[in-house]
Amino acid sequence: MKFPKNKRKYCKNCNTHTPHKVSIYKKGKETQSAQGNRRYARKKRGYGSQPKPIQHNQAKVNKKTTPTYKCSKCGRITIGTALRLKKFELMNK
Ligand SMILES: [Zn+2]
């Protein structure tokens, strides 16, 4: 799917329509010392201790891509609706 690089969109902070820059949302780096990770690492220790089966066969073919919109005036980032797409293409109008 083709997406515009720049889009005129409503900004909550500015309270008007302003030009927004479109980009793809990317997951941040996971913190290894987070409580969930520490608990999981503790559970995984020892012989035969994979607590849950690892899923290998995925039902869905495509992963969700989320567009993010950054306001050019105030810099506020809003996250758009996630879509299941084969190809996400940003292009100039
Ligand atoms: Zn704004």
Side-chain angles (χ1 to χ4, degrees):
M1 196 175 170
K2 283 170 181 171
F3 256 72
K5 263 185 188 172
N6 295 295
K7 197 180 180 184
R8 221 174 142 73
K9 222 170 125 29
Y10 175 75
C11 177
K12 254 187 195 173
N13 205 31
C14 303
N15 202 24
T16 45
H17 276 71
T18 50
H20 281 69
K21 208 178 169 190
V22 187
S23 56
I24 303 163
Y25 168 79
K26 275 184 184 134
K27 201 178 167 184
K29 200 183 172 187
E30 276 183 22
T31 317
Q32 286 306 304
S33 58
Q35 180 57 67
N37 278 327
R38 275 183 278 153
R39 197 178 292 138
Y40 187 62
R42 211 185 134 100
K43 267 196 166 182
K44 269 189 82 169
R45 276 169 66 192
Y47 173 74
S49 52
Q50 180 64 43
K52 282 177 181 177
I54 303 161
Q55 192 178 358
H56 294 290
N57 307 327
Q58 251 75 24
K60 300 276 193 289
V61 178
N62 302 321
K63 284 198 170 174
K64 279 187 176 178
T65 31
T66 316
T68 54
Y69 305 97
K70 193 180 181 185
C71 178
S72 59
K73 271 193 178 172
C74 65
R76 191 191 176 104
I77 296 166
T78 33
I79 291 166
T81 45
L83 303 154
R84 284 196 185 275
L85 304 165
K86 244 179 196 172
K87 200 179 173 187
F88 186 95
E89 204 180 329
L90 287 169
M91 57 181 293
N92 288 316
K93 259 189 177 175

